[in-house]
Amino acid sequence: MKKQSLLDVQELKTNFYTERGVVTAVDGISFSVEEGEIVGVVGESGCGKSVTSQSILRLFDEKYSVEYEGSILFKGESLLEKTLAEMQDIRGNEISMIFQDPSSSLNPVYTIGRQVAEAILLHKDITRKEAYQKAVKLLELTGIPSPEKRALEYPHQLSGGMLQRVMIAMALACEPKLLIADEPTTALDVTIQAQILDLIVRLNQEIGMGVMFITHDLGVVAQVCNRVIVMYLGQVVEEADVRTLFTEPLHPYTKGLLHSIPKLDGERAEKLHVIEGTVPSLTNVPTGCRFADRCPQADATCLEHAPALEAQNDGHKVRCWHASAQKEVETYVATN
Ligand SMILES: Nc1ncnc2c1ncn2[C@@H]1O[C@H](COP(=O)(O)OP(=O)(O)OP(=O)(O)O)[C@@H](O)[C@H]1O
Ligand SMILES: [Mg+2]
């Protein structure tokens, strides 16, 4: 029997009710995060990375604007069947999230130190004084200079980069089983980014924290992730361990993303490759492969029929007719 995953998402759909009708922003995605594993989630803007992470925590308004389908199991328990009160308990306790936009998540009327201390007290049976000291320590760990002084300040007194670090301190305060990090270091300069990544990797190793790591930055993926899923227009188009993804990408979209990493070619920086065309609209999803109109390999089959996500080799999955055809021929030839 398969080992129980820390997080197991199966055929998740997130349907938003909008003025333009129902929009399925996440359309049948499946993936898992194991204990102690860092899974990268990459893809262009608008492909559904944030909606996926916020769906896992059920942060959208279920009364009026959203409906979920599929299943989300956390330690074997179905999150879609929990009450909102139960979800509240899980959030910031067993599952923590670092949001893309830090400004919305802190309370403007309390000092930074107090807010981080409160987050610690929710999960640890210690005195307020101890919690406050621990909060200052955590702020220091995220690279905030003069943490004792900063702890006495209010959110509006801090820059965006500082706020992001406070958010990271809050998210890590409870030593969560699962951390969902949505572009956690995009707003930070490279030195601080490296410190934050170190901190996340350290907690991942020390307490076995699983991490879902959303990023645009493939360099960061190569540095910290064990496995990667590539999303395109609400679906997973490729999944592989990090080494395989970088050395043997199968989906033309993944290949395009990898080509887009700037390289230093001798003394001259190579011209940055961009994937031609734009992502189709969610209100006008193509019937065939969703990437077909931008794909250099697309043929009539791709335009007419949607490929399924298929396993190729060990844990390597891809949603592409050409990769599947290649695999079929290889298997055919090998067995004759
Ligand atoms: N509340 C909502 N109602 C309707 N549509 C939404 C809602 N939230 C997000 N969307 C749509 O879902 C799609 C996916 O958005 P999402 O924010 O997940 O993208 P993303 O991959 O996180 O992009 P980025 O890299 O820019 O953060 C977008 O087309 C977006 O417009
Ligand atoms: Mg996002």
Side-chain angles (χ1 to χ4, degrees), residues 16-18 20 23-26 43-52 54 60 65 100 182-183 214 216 231 282:
F16 290 113
Y17 297 99
T18 72
R20 294 165 297 150
V23 165
T24 303
V26 167
E44 281 164 302
S45 188
C47 68
K49 304 182 295 295
S50 294
V51 171
T52 301
Q54 291 174 35
F60 297 111
S65 64
Q100 208 167 356
D182 193 350
E183 304 269 4
I214 298 172
H216 275 107
M231 287 186 70
L282 281 173

Side-chain angles (χ1 to χ4, degrees), residues 161-212:
M162 287 292 171
L163 285 177
Q164 187 66 335
R165 285 184 253 175
V166 174
M167 286 303 304
I168 292 166
M170 301 253 292
L172 299 178
C174 61
E175 304 191 343
K177 297 261 183 325
L178 175 68
L179 174 71
I180 301 178
D182 193 350
E183 304 269 4
T185 56
T186 314
L188 306 174
D189 71 51
V190 285
T191 328
I192 303 299
Q193 170 169 314
Q195 285 174 21
I196 302 284
L197 293 179
D198 272 356
L199 182 64
I200 291 176
V201 170
R202 188 150 23 100
L203 276 174
N204 156 260
Q205 287 165 354
E206 280 172 12
I207 64 171
M209 175 178 78
V211 185
M212 176 177 166

Side-chain angles (χ1 to χ4, degrees), residues 2-169:
K2 188 174 167 275
K3 187 174 135 275
Q4 182 181 305
S5 298
L6 181 63
L7 176 73
D8 184 13
V9 176
Q10 289 298 329
E11 292 299 323
L12 174 69
K13 283 192 186 192
T14 304
N15 304 307
F16 290 113
Y17 297 99
T18 72
E19 285 165 2
R20 294 165 297 150
V22 177
V23 165
T24 303
V26 167
D27 198 356
I29 88 164
S30 303
F31 69 96
S32 63
V33 179
E34 310 300 329
E35 206 173 291
E37 188 185 36
I38 306 186
V39 177
V41 181
V42 298
E44 281 164 302
S45 188
C47 68
K49 304 182 295 295
S50 294
V51 171
T52 301
S53 57
Q54 291 174 35
S55 300
I56 292 168
L57 287 177
R58 292 185 41 205
L59 292 174
F60 297 111
D61 171 13
E62 292 173 27
K63 208 160 168 196
Y64 297 110
S65 64
V66 81
E67 188 182 63
Y68 302 112
E69 291 174 55
S71 83
I72 304 169
L73 300 183
F74 175 66
K75 296 194 305 184
E77 289 182 27
S78 168
L79 295 188
L80 289 180
E81 284 162 49
K82 300 264 179 214
T83 63
L84 288 178
E86 287 169 332
M87 281 310 294
Q88 190 97 42
D89 259 3
I90 291 171
R91 276 182 221 139
N93 189 352
E94 293 204 277
I95 308 179
S96 255
M97 179 152 175
I98 304 170
F99 290 90
Q100 208 167 356
D101 171 18
S103 56
S104 56
S105 327
L106 288 164
N107 192 325
V109 303
Y110 297 123
T111 55
I112 297 299
R114 173 168 171 177
Q115 293 192 58
V116 179
E118 289 287 323
I120 296 169
L121 277 177
L122 279 177
H123 317 284
K124 283 214 153 58
D125 194 13
I126 52 179
T127 66
R128 285 195 169 161
K129 187 172 171 199
E130 287 165 334
Y132 193 84
Q133 284 163 345
K134 212 169 158 3
V136 173
K137 188 88 203 135
L138 257 179
L139 291 173
E140 188 179 7
L141 271 176
T142 62
I144 292 186
S146 325
E148 296 90 356
K149 222 170 94 208
R150 290 294 187 172
L152 296 171
E153 294 184 343
Y154 293 91
H156 74 268
Q157 293 173 282
L158 273 68
S159 68
M162 287 292 171
L163 285 177
Q164 187 66 335
R165 285 184 253 175
V166 174
M167 286 303 304
I168 292 166

Side-chain angles (χ1 to χ4, degrees), residues 228-334:
V228 191
I229 66 171
V230 182
M231 287 186 70
Y232 190 77
L233 198 61
Q235 296 187 327
V236 176
V237 295
E238 185 155 11
E239 174 187 330
D241 67 79
V242 73
R243 170 171 273 276
T244 306
L245 193 95
F246 278 83
T247 54
E248 301 159 45
L250 290 173
H251 201 287
Y253 179 61
T254 312
K255 291 178 189 170
L257 287 180
L258 289 169
H259 267 123
S260 316
I261 307 177
K263 287 191 197 83
L264 286 177
D265 173 25
E267 287 161 22
R268 174 181 62 89
E270 251 178 47
K271 191 162 164 281
L272 200 59
H273 171 89
V274 285
I275 306 171
E276 297 285 334
T278 50
V279 186
S281 152
L282 281 173
T283 51
N284 192 16
V285 173
T287 38
C289 170
R290 295 180 175 204
F291 186 59
D293 67 339
R294 301 172 76 188
C295 181
Q297 281 177 272
D299 56 25
T301 305
C302 306
L303 288 168
E304 280 163 35
H305 304 282
L309 186 68
E310 279 187 15
Q312 302 294 310
N313 315 305
D314 264 0
H316 193 173
K317 296 178 190 161
V318 64
R319 189 188 290 278
C320 172
W321 287 119
H322 293 280
S324 301
Q326 185 69 34
K327 158 103 177 174
E328 196 221 47
V329 168
E330 277 167 21
T331 317
Y332 172 74
V333 172

